[in-house]
Amino acid sequence: MENKVYKNASIVTGLSVAERGLGFLYRVVLSRLIGAEGLGLYQVALSLFSLFLTVGTGGIPITVSRMISKCKANGDTAGERRVVGAGLCACLLLTLPVALLLAIFGKNFTFLFSDSRCFNLFKILLIGLCFSSIYAVLRGSFWGNKEFLLPSIVEIAEETVMVIAGVLLLQNVSSPLNGAEKAVWAVVLSYLFSFSLAILLFFLRGYKISKPKKELKSLFTSSLPITSVRAGGSLINSAIAVLLPVMLIRSGMGESDAFALFGVLSGMVLPLLFIPSTLIGSLSLVLVPELSEDYYRGNYTHLYTNLRRGIKFSFLIACAILPFFFTLGYDLGALAFSNLTAGEMISYSAPILLPMSLTMITTSMLNSLGFEKQTFLVYFFSAAILLLCVLLLPALCGGYAYLIGLGASFSVNALCNFLFLLKKCPLYQNRGKQVFLREFLPHLLAVLPLSLLGYFTHGLLARFFSTPLALFTTTFVLLLATCALYFVTGALRFEALKKFLPAKRRERRKTGDF
């Protein structure tokens, strides 16, 4: 079972990294073709669309996955089919009326946007609302059946379609608005593609749908807290998309400059800052059905082991990436986006990676164990801190108000989640202090020397080599230093690599028969 978890996590991570890498390259293309202002308009429309999509799906996919895991643990095959039917019914009830209402009476909702130009972009995105929500349920059913490869393939294919459509459409852009309109059409086309492919794969794999009546109520009850948290997150993002440009304008910035700065933050800085979410999200995706099955079967020893490993993995990922961003943020912004402001913000926001990573993994863990109400309350408390920073700080620190708010919000969220996990699950069997000192503190303390190593290495190489060569060489040096540190502390072991080998090959290695 442990070997299967490692393999699934590695496969999903590889595909997720490829998907995010493709998405990052597309962001680079967008920033160059439609400019910071066009990217800002695109992000404002996309953030409000994400709110309605989250309200329509939210916690339903993960709840479908968890309920299917529970049915499998109980041997209830018919229940698995009813769960999928309930998920589809719930998503359509929550998205189809909204899409029709906004399409018909949309002119009455232009007040939702700080710039009226965003409304037309939003109307285009509405075309994909129902299709994307249906795909979300099918993705949850794949997860519940531990079919992690299929949705990963669908999503990388979706990203590929969006990139190809976007590059083809974004020719001869006449204005920032024109470029943003073509970009959202590319998004809609990618949603239609992923919907069609997921439907085809679902039935080809032999899965079926049954009447949802018996499972609909329990699905709504279980998914409501998660949906509320995710809808709240989308609502917060939408509010920030409206409030931050307004607060920047009130602080003395011009309207175009305010939207351009928001475009830098949301379209350039945050996609890079959320790179660890690719790795942590892949681990969470694989762990959720495992944790749920262990929880419902009462296999607490294996459950606590996986919880500890997930937290440690997320912490190590953040500690490894933080020095890289802190040292090379300026060059990343200059090379990728030709924007020094983006590079400066990437560098200064690097410390956010630690609380952000711990928040993501602990929230997923708590949801998989049925503590959705706790994550709901903690999230909205921390989100209030973010909003206060956006409202009060732009006059003092401009766009950095958003980044400061994110850091404070994630820190509070991670601390509350971690304390609750320690209280409800004996992760460390009364050895929490010793485990922290051995597994976490050395890597936390190593962040500063690794950052200094990267800083001085890059400073030296930049005198003799071009910027790209200095960046890649410094990245390689940091990677080697981090791996060496992790081997010394025992976080990485050569024996662990054998887990990724097929069973027969491992046996041949033991006997010396190659």
Side-chain angles (χ1 to χ4, degrees):
M1 184 180 295
E2 181 181 334
N3 186 44
K4 187 176 181 181
V5 171
Y6 277 109
K7 285 186 176 181
N8 286 334
S10 63
I11 292 171
V12 174
T13 298
L15 291 172
S16 297
V17 169
E19 180 195 348
R20 289 298 179 94
L22 197 60
F24 172 73
L25 292 176
Y26 183 57
R27 293 280 176 166
V28 174
V29 172
L30 276 183
S31 67
R32 295 177 183 273
L33 291 178
I34 67 177
E37 184 180 356
L39 194 58
L41 296 171
Y42 170 80
Q43 288 295 144
V44 169
L46 200 60
S47 65
L48 188 61
F49 172 77
S50 298
L51 169 61
F52 287 100
L53 180 60
T54 305
V55 170
T57 57
I60 292 177
I62 195 67
T63 303
V64 166
S65 171
R66 185 160 63 83
M67 290 177 70
I68 288 177
S69 298
K70 183 178 180 180
C71 290
K72 285 185 174 296
N74 297 328
D76 185 6
T77 304
E80 297 177 33
R81 299 173 181 175
R82 291 196 299 270
V83 168
V84 179
L88 292 173
C89 183
C91 282
L92 288 175
L93 285 174
L94 292 171
T95 56
L96 186 57
V98 172
L100 292 174
L101 179 66
L102 291 172
I104 297 172
F105 303 104
K107 292 183 179 180
N108 298 318
F109 296 94
T110 54
F111 67 90
L112 294 172
F113 301 97
S114 54
D115 190 313
S116 59
R117 292 178 294 175
C118 299
F119 177 67
N120 289 332
L121 306 179
F122 175 71
K123 284 181 65 177
I124 296 171
L125 287 169
L126 277 177
I127 298 171
L129 183 61
C130 294
F131 297 106
S132 187
S133 66
I134 292 174
Y135 164 66
V137 176
L138 299 181
R139 182 179 59 198
S141 72
F142 289 136
W143 291 344
N145 287 286
K146 299 184 181 179
E147 294 266 16
F148 303 108
L149 182 60
L150 291 180
S152 297
I153 291 174
V154 172
E155 286 171 14
I156 195 170
E158 176 188 290
E159 196 76 24
T160 303
V161 169
M162 183 175 67
V163 172
I164 294 174
V167 171
L168 292 176
L169 291 173
L170 288 169
Q171 303 297 321
N172 302 318
V173 173
S174 59
S175 67
L177 178 60
N178 177 249
E181 286 177 347
K182 292 181 177 181
V184 296
W185 272 115
V187 173
V188 171
L189 291 174
S190 69
Y191 286 160
L192 294 175
F193 175 82
S194 59
F195 161 78
S196 303
L197 183 58
I199 288 284
L200 179 64
L201 291 173
F202 181 83
F203 289 109
L204 285 177
R205 294 296 293 172
Y207 298 125
K208 297 180 181 179
I209 303 170
S210 296
K211 294 181 180 180
K213 186 176 180 181
K214 291 183 179 180
E215 305 291 345
L216 195 57
K217 181 179 179 180
S218 58
L219 183 136
F220 266 118
T221 303
S222 298
S223 65
L224 183 59
I226 304 176
T227 300
S228 300
V229 168
R230 297 187 178 181
S234 295
L235 181 61
I236 295 298
N237 291 334
S238 299
I240 290 171
V242 173
L243 291 174
L244 185 58
V246 170
M247 300 310 294
L248 290 172
I249 292 170
R250 288 186 178 181
S251 66
M253 190 176 292
E255 183 177 352
S256 295
D257 291 336
F259 273 95
L261 183 56
F262 179 74
V264 168
L265 277 165
S266 59
M268 302 179 191
V269 177
L270 293 187
L272 273 176
L273 191 63
F274 279 79
I275 280 179
S277 67
T278 303
L279 303 175
I280 296 168
S282 300
L283 179 67
S284 301
L285 180 63
V286 175
L287 278 180
V288 163
E290 295 288 342
L291 295 176
S292 296
E293 282 195 30
D294 287 336
Y295 179 74
Y296 289 117
R297 288 176 175 170
N299 189 3
Y300 296 115
T301 301
H302 192 253
L303 172 67
Y304 298 150
T305 299
N306 277 334
L307 289 173
R308 284 180 55 186
R309 286 175 177 168
I311 293 171
K312 182 180 178 181
F313 174 83
S314 303
F315 184 81
L316 292 177
I317 288 295
C319 288
I321 297 178
L322 196 158
F324 171 75
F325 277 4
F326 180 76
T327 303
L328 303 174
Y330 283 92
D331 282 356
L332 284 172
L335 286 175
F337 305 109
S338 299
N339 192 299
L340 294 178
T341 301
E344 179 183 288
M345 288 182 163
I346 292 167
S347 180
Y348 288 160
S349 61
I352 297 175
L353 292 173
L354 278 172
M356 180 191 72
S357 300
L358 291 175
T359 295
M360 290 181 60
I361 192 67
T362 53
T363 299
S364 294
M365 289 174 170
L366 288 170
N367 288 338
S368 68
L369 299 178
F371 297 118
E372 298 94 344
K373 292 182 181 178
Q374 285 74 17
T375 59
F376 170 80
L377 295 174
V378 170
Y379 173 77
F380 278 101
F381 176 67
S382 59
I385 297 174
L386 172 59
L387 278 179
L388 284 174
C389 291
V390 170
L391 288 172
L392 301 178
L393 297 182
L396 298 175
C397 52
Y400 282 98
Y402 188 16
L403 298 176
I404 293 171
L406 280 177
S409 174
F410 281 133
S411 297
V412 170
N413 203 326
L415 179 61
C416 292
N417 283 354
F418 196 69
L419 291 176
F420 187 79
L421 265 177
L422 287 176
K423 180 179 178 181
K424 295 295 182 179
C425 304
L427 302 178
Y428 303 113
Q429 287 83 36
N430 300 320
R431 294 184 294 110
K433 184 177 180 180
Q434 293 88 334
V435 171
F436 175 78
L437 292 174
R438 185 178 71 252
E439 296 187 350
F440 293 90
L441 188 60
H443 305 103
L444 182 62
L445 295 177
V447 168
L448 180 58
L450 285 173
S451 299
L452 292 175
L453 172 65
Y455 179 80
F456 287 115
T457 301
H458 181 262
L460 179 63
L461 292 174
R463 295 182 179 181
F464 304 101
F465 303 109
S466 64
T467 299
L469 184 58
L471 187 149
F472 290 125
T473 306
T474 305
T475 300
F476 183 69
V477 170
L478 281 175
L479 179 62
L480 286 180
T482 303
C483 289
L485 170 69
Y486 285 4
F487 275 115
V488 169
T489 59
L492 283 177
R493 297 187 302 275
F494 288 107
E495 292 80 5
L497 299 177
K498 297 178 182 179
K499 298 180 183 295
F500 296 95
L501 294 173
K504 291 183 179 179
R505 187 174 177 184
R506 290 202 310 272
E507 194 64 32
R508 290 198 299 270
R509 289 178 65 90
K510 288 180 182 179
T511 60
D513 182 14
F514 294 95

